[in-house]
Tab-separated table of all heavy atoms in Angstrom:
chain	number	residue	atom	x	y	z
A	97	PHE	N	23.981	35.555	55.804
A	97	PHE	CA	22.909	35.431	54.812
A	97	PHE	C	21.523	35.480	55.454
A	97	PHE	O	20.522	35.260	54.780
A	97	PHE	CB	23.050	34.142	54.014
A	97	PHE	CG	24.136	34.172	52.977
A	97	PHE	CD1	25.134	33.222	52.975
A	97	PHE	CD2	24.153	35.139	51.988
A	97	PHE	CE1	26.138	33.234	52.015
A	97	PHE	CE2	25.147	35.175	51.025
A	97	PHE	CZ	26.142	34.215	51.042
A	106	ALA	N	20.157	29.696	45.157
A	106	ALA	CA	19.356	29.777	43.932
A	106	ALA	C	19.373	31.207	43.400
A	106	ALA	O	20.320	31.956	43.633
A	106	ALA	CB	17.936	29.306	44.234
A	107	GLY	N	18.315	31.608	42.706
A	107	GLY	CA	18.262	32.906	42.052
A	107	GLY	C	18.454	34.084	42.985
A	107	GLY	O	18.974	35.127	42.580
A	108	TRP	N	18.046	33.942	44.238
A	108	TRP	CA	18.205	35.055	45.191
A	108	TRP	C	19.662	35.474	45.319
A	108	TRP	O	19.932	36.653	45.544
A	108	TRP	CB	17.641	34.684	46.570
A	108	TRP	CG	18.439	33.631	47.296
A	108	TRP	CD1	18.243	32.283	47.260
A	108	TRP	CD2	19.583	33.849	48.134
A	108	TRP	NE1	19.192	31.639	48.032
A	108	TRP	CE2	20.018	32.581	48.579
A	108	TRP	CE3	20.276	34.979	48.549
A	108	TRP	CZ2	21.124	32.419	49.421
A	108	TRP	CZ3	21.381	34.828	49.384
A	108	TRP	CH2	21.788	33.552	49.820
A	109	PHE	N	20.593	34.534	45.176
A	109	PHE	CA	22.004	34.841	45.393
A	109	PHE	C	22.505	35.813	44.331
A	109	PHE	O	23.216	36.780	44.646
A	109	PHE	CB	22.829	33.547	45.387
A	109	PHE	CG	24.261	33.768	45.755
A	109	PHE	CD1	24.645	33.849	47.090
A	109	PHE	CD2	25.238	33.912	44.786
A	109	PHE	CE1	25.970	34.072	47.449
A	109	PHE	CE2	26.565	34.132	45.135
A	109	PHE	CZ	26.925	34.214	46.467
A	110	ASP	N	22.144	35.582	43.070
A	110	ASP	CA	22.549	36.507	42.005
A	110	ASP	C	21.993	37.900	42.274
A	110	ASP	O	22.697	38.905	42.086
A	110	ASP	CB	22.057	36.004	40.645
A	110	ASP	CG	22.703	34.692	40.234
A	110	ASP	OD1	23.774	34.339	40.791
A	110	ASP	OD2	22.143	34.012	39.358
A	111	ASP	N	20.729	37.961	42.705
A	111	ASP	CA	20.121	39.259	43.010
A	111	ASP	C	20.833	39.943	44.171
A	111	ASP	O	20.992	41.172	44.181
A	111	ASP	CB	18.632	39.092	43.338
A	111	ASP	CG	17.812	38.729	42.116
A	111	ASP	OD1	18.268	38.982	40.980
A	111	ASP	OD2	16.701	38.193	42.291
A	112	TRP	N	21.279	39.153	45.151
A	112	TRP	CA	22.008	39.719	46.291
A	112	TRP	C	23.336	40.329	45.832
A	112	TRP	O	23.666	41.456	46.189
A	112	TRP	CB	22.224	38.630	47.346
A	112	TRP	CG	23.112	39.052	48.466
A	112	TRP	CD1	22.780	39.896	49.490
A	112	TRP	CD2	24.475	38.680	48.658
A	112	TRP	NE1	23.878	40.073	50.314
A	112	TRP	CE2	24.924	39.328	49.826
A	112	TRP	CE3	25.352	37.859	47.966
A	112	TRP	CZ2	26.220	39.185	50.315
A	112	TRP	CZ3	26.643	37.711	48.443
A	112	TRP	CH2	27.063	38.364	49.605
A	113	VAL	N	24.091	39.586	44.999
A	113	VAL	CA	25.374	40.103	44.500
A	113	VAL	C	25.153	41.384	43.700
A	113	VAL	O	25.941	42.329	43.789
A	113	VAL	CB	26.112	39.041	43.655
A	113	VAL	CG1	27.342	39.630	42.967
A	113	VAL	CG2	26.526	37.853	44.523
A	114	GLU	N	24.082	41.436	42.929
A	114	GLU	CA	23.803	42.612	42.097
A	114	GLU	C	23.198	43.768	42.892
A	114	GLU	O	22.981	44.857	42.346
A	114	GLU	CB	22.849	42.225	40.961
A	114	GLU	CG	23.448	41.235	39.965
A	114	GLU	CD	24.673	41.787	39.271
A	114	GLU	OE1	24.682	42.993	38.943
A	114	GLU	OE2	25.636	41.021	39.066
A	115	GLY	N	22.938	43.565	44.185
A	115	GLY	CA	22.409	44.635	45.024
A	115	GLY	C	20.920	44.855	44.886
A	115	GLY	O	20.405	45.875	45.347
A	116	ARG	N	20.207	43.885	44.283
A	116	ARG	CA	18.758	44.040	44.088
A	116	ARG	C	17.944	43.429	45.214
A	116	ARG	O	16.733	43.655	45.301
A	116	ARG	CB	18.339	43.390	42.767
A	116	ARG	CG	18.916	44.040	41.533
A	116	ARG	CD	18.319	43.469	40.258
A	116	ARG	NE	18.617	42.058	40.104
A	116	ARG	CZ	19.639	41.558	39.389
A	116	ARG	NH1	20.465	42.400	38.782
A	116	ARG	NH2	19.828	40.268	39.287
A	117	PHE	N	18.591	42.629	46.088
A	117	PHE	CA	17.863	41.906	47.122
A	117	PHE	C	18.805	41.610	48.279
A	117	PHE	O	19.960	41.232	48.063
A	117	PHE	CB	17.323	40.586	46.543
A	117	PHE	CG	16.735	39.653	47.569
A	117	PHE	CD1	15.518	39.927	48.167
A	117	PHE	CD2	17.410	38.498	47.956
A	117	PHE	CE1	14.981	39.065	49.119
A	117	PHE	CE2	16.887	37.624	48.899
A	117	PHE	CZ	15.660	37.916	49.481
A	118	THR	N	18.320	41.810	49.490
A	118	THR	CA	19.055	41.397	50.683
A	118	THR	C	18.103	40.579	51.540
A	118	THR	O	17.038	41.077	51.931
A	118	THR	CB	19.575	42.611	51.479
A	118	THR	OG1	20.461	43.372	50.641
A	118	THR	CG2	20.325	42.167	52.722
A	119	PRO	N	18.443	39.321	51.827
A	119	PRO	CA	17.555	38.499	52.666
A	119	PRO	C	17.338	39.134	54.034
A	119	PRO	O	18.203	39.869	54.554
A	119	PRO	CB	18.314	37.167	52.794
A	119	PRO	CG	19.261	37.141	51.644
A	119	PRO	CD	19.633	38.571	51.390
A	123	GLU	N	23.492	40.734	55.706
A	123	GLU	CA	24.271	41.870	55.245
A	123	GLU	C	23.974	42.087	53.767
A	123	GLU	O	23.838	41.121	53.014
A	123	GLU	CB	25.770	41.599	55.361
A	123	GLU	CG	26.365	41.680	56.729
A	123	GLU	CD	27.849	41.342	56.696
A	123	GLU	OE1	28.179	40.149	56.796
A	123	GLU	OE2	28.658	42.281	56.573
A	124	SER	N	23.916	43.324	53.342
A	124	SER	CA	23.829	43.596	51.915
A	124	SER	C	25.203	43.356	51.285
A	124	SER	O	26.231	43.329	51.982
A	124	SER	CB	23.403	45.045	51.668
A	124	SER	OG	24.447	45.934	52.046
A	125	PHE	N	25.229	43.188	49.958
A	125	PHE	CA	26.511	43.007	49.284
A	125	PHE	C	27.371	44.260	49.441
A	125	PHE	O	28.595	44.168	49.613
A	125	PHE	CB	26.300	42.665	47.807
A	125	PHE	CG	27.551	42.198	47.123
A	125	PHE	CD1	28.135	40.985	47.452
A	125	PHE	CD2	28.147	42.960	46.132
A	125	PHE	CE1	29.297	40.546	46.822
A	125	PHE	CE2	29.308	42.532	45.489
A	125	PHE	CZ	29.880	41.318	45.836
A	126	ALA	N	26.748	45.439	49.433
A	126	ALA	CA	27.504	46.687	49.631
A	126	ALA	C	28.139	46.717	51.015
A	126	ALA	O	29.294	47.146	51.169
A	126	ALA	CB	26.597	47.897	49.429
A	127	GLN	N	27.410	46.274	52.044
A	127	GLN	CA	27.988	46.211	53.392
A	127	GLN	C	29.161	45.231	53.433
A	127	GLN	O	30.188	45.510	54.057
A	127	GLN	CB	26.923	45.788	54.401
A	127	GLN	CG	25.885	46.849	54.685
A	127	GLN	CD	24.721	46.308	55.507
A	127	GLN	OE1	24.270	45.170	55.335
A	127	GLN	NE2	24.216	47.143	56.410
A	128	LEU	N	28.994	44.092	52.765
A	128	LEU	CA	30.087	43.120	52.725
A	128	LEU	C	31.305	43.693	52.016
A	128	LEU	O	32.438	43.476	52.449
A	128	LEU	CB	29.628	41.831	52.032
A	128	LEU	CG	30.719	40.758	51.876
A	128	LEU	CD1	31.232	40.278	53.230
A	128	LEU	CD2	30.200	39.593	51.046
A	129	ARG	N	31.096	44.433	50.945
A	129	ARG	CA	32.229	45.055	50.236
A	129	ARG	C	32.999	45.987	51.164
A	129	ARG	O	34.231	45.947	51.218
A	129	ARG	CB	31.748	45.812	49.005
A	129	ARG	CG	31.404	44.905	47.845
A	129	ARG	CD	30.874	45.664	46.652
A	129	ARG	NE	31.869	46.536	46.051
A	129	ARG	CZ	31.786	47.027	44.828
A	129	ARG	NH1	30.743	46.727	44.061
A	129	ARG	NH2	32.726	47.822	44.347
A	156	ARG	N	33.975	37.174	46.622
A	156	ARG	CA	33.210	37.865	45.575
A	156	ARG	C	33.235	39.373	45.815
A	156	ARG	O	33.356	40.165	44.885
A	156	ARG	CB	31.777	37.344	45.534
A	156	ARG	CG	31.609	35.995	44.848
A	156	ARG	CD	30.157	35.519	44.988
A	156	ARG	NE	29.826	34.436	44.081
A	156	ARG	CZ	30.007	33.142	44.337
A	156	ARG	NH1	30.542	32.762	45.489
A	156	ARG	NH2	29.645	32.217	43.458
A	157	ALA	N	33.109	39.767	47.082
A	157	ALA	CA	33.167	41.194	47.408
A	157	ALA	C	34.539	41.769	47.082
A	157	ALA	O	34.643	42.885	46.561
A	157	ALA	CB	32.826	41.408	48.880
A	160	ALA	N	34.740	42.319	43.369
A	160	ALA	CA	34.025	43.538	42.970
A	160	ALA	C	34.884	44.772	43.229
A	160	ALA	O	34.986	45.664	42.374
A	160	ALA	CB	32.700	43.639	43.716
A	164	LEU	N	36.908	43.328	39.047
A	164	LEU	CA	36.643	42.084	38.321
A	164	LEU	C	35.185	41.682	38.491
A	164	LEU	O	34.522	42.128	39.429
A	164	LEU	CB	37.548	40.970	38.859
A	164	LEU	CG	39.049	41.208	38.669
A	164	LEU	CD1	39.846	40.286	39.571
A	164	LEU	CD2	39.426	40.999	37.214
A	165	PRO	N	34.662	40.832	37.589
A	165	PRO	CA	33.299	40.342	37.787
A	165	PRO	C	33.175	39.686	39.160
A	165	PRO	O	34.025	38.871	39.550
A	165	PRO	CB	33.115	39.325	36.663
A	165	PRO	CG	34.102	39.728	35.610
A	165	PRO	CD	35.272	40.293	36.354
A	166	ALA	N	32.127	40.055	39.885
A	166	ALA	CA	32.009	39.595	41.268
A	166	ALA	C	31.499	38.168	41.382
A	166	ALA	O	31.987	37.392	42.203
A	166	ALA	CB	31.081	40.533	42.043
A	167	ASN	N	30.513	37.821	40.587
A	167	ASN	CA	29.785	36.574	40.828
A	167	ASN	C	30.462	35.397	40.135
A	167	ASN	O	29.901	34.765	39.229
A	167	ASN	CB	28.324	36.701	40.409
A	167	ASN	CG	27.448	35.732	41.165
A	167	ASN	OD1	27.916	34.980	42.017
A	167	ASN	ND2	26.169	35.739	40.853
A	168	VAL	N	31.683	35.109	40.578
A	168	VAL	CA	32.475	34.003	40.060
A	168	VAL	C	32.821	33.109	41.243
A	168	VAL	O	33.323	33.586	42.264
A	168	VAL	CB	33.763	34.510	39.381
A	168	VAL	CG1	34.663	33.352	38.970
A	168	VAL	CG2	33.415	35.381	38.173
Side-chain angles (χ1 to χ4, degrees):
F97 284 124
W108 69 268
F109 186 83
D110 295 341
D111 289 339
W112 172 75
V113 172
E114 295 299 321
R116 295 188 297 265
F117 171 72
T118 300
E123 284 178 273
S124 69
F125 192 68
Q127 288 170 322
L128 177 62
R129 283 178 66 161
R156 282 175 165 87
L164 297 163
N167 205 1
V168 174

